[in-house]
Amino acid sequence: MVDVVGRYFNAYNAHDLDTVMGCYCAQPVAVGPGGPARGRSDVASYHTLLWQAFPDARVTVWQKIVKDEAVAAVGMGIGTHAGPFPLTTGEVVEATGRRVSVRCCWIFEIEGCLITCSEVFYDQLELCVQLGLRLPA
């Protein structure tokens, strides 16, 4: 079970979409701050959009916790903002050239040897500050 999560992060860091998607089941769900992506096409688009916004994106996993059919992973996501990044407000932030480093937590639901659902949590305010965005008053 932990093996598929390790393969996922190795493929994520290599920006290898085929291998990332090979870690998911036939009808996966990926949930981030913008809401859920459902199905293989939407989940693949979700990853592609992140890699376009942060073409050097990498994740360092510090800890994995296994419980029944779930794996939690805690780590750091880093990258340089070099492409359009959609915010949860619907706005798109054009490339700032800023380097970001954000602590993240992923929860993976595993069935057999494949990910059925992945959820990522991170401090959106921290990311916005690092991107130099003006915050509402």
Side-chain angles (χ1 to χ4, degrees):
M1 186 164 54
V2 176
D3 292 346
V4 70
V5 173
R7 283 196 314 276
Y8 169 87
F9 282 117
N10 287 338
Y12 183 91
N13 285 340
H15 297 207
D16 179 347
L17 185 60
D18 289 338
T19 303
V20 164
M21 293 310 298
C23 296
Y24 282 100
C25 70
Q27 292 297 319
V29 176
V31 182
R38 298 182 190 281
R40 294 187 69 76
S41 177
D42 285 351
V43 171
S45 292
Y46 170 82
H47 287 88
T48 301
L49 282 171
L50 285 173
W51 291 332
Q52 288 173 344
F54 300 93
D56 61 347
R58 291 194 49 83
V59 170
T60 300
V61 175
W62 296 324
Q63 181 181 25
K64 292 178 191 166
I65 301 167
V66 179
K67 174 77 169 132
D68 299 325
E69 299 297 316
V71 176
V74 177
M76 181 72 71
I78 62 169
T80 306
H81 181 219
F85 180 64
L87 300 176
T88 58
T89 61
E91 299 170 77
V92 175
V93 179
E94 295 303 324
T96 62
R98 290 176 177 243
R99 189 105 171 118
V100 298
S101 177
V102 180
R103 291 176 56 100
C104 304
C105 178
W106 295 262
I107 307 290
F108 296 95
E109 294 176 28
I110 312 291
E111 189 172 299
C113 295
L114 296 173
I115 299 167
T116 59
C117 182
S118 60
E119 295 188 57
V120 63
F121 302 90
Y122 61 88
D123 187 334
Q124 296 173 65
L125 180 59
E126 178 182 24
L127 177 62
C128 288
V129 167
Q130 290 184 33
L131 291 175
L133 303 179
R134 290 182 48 150
L135 304 176

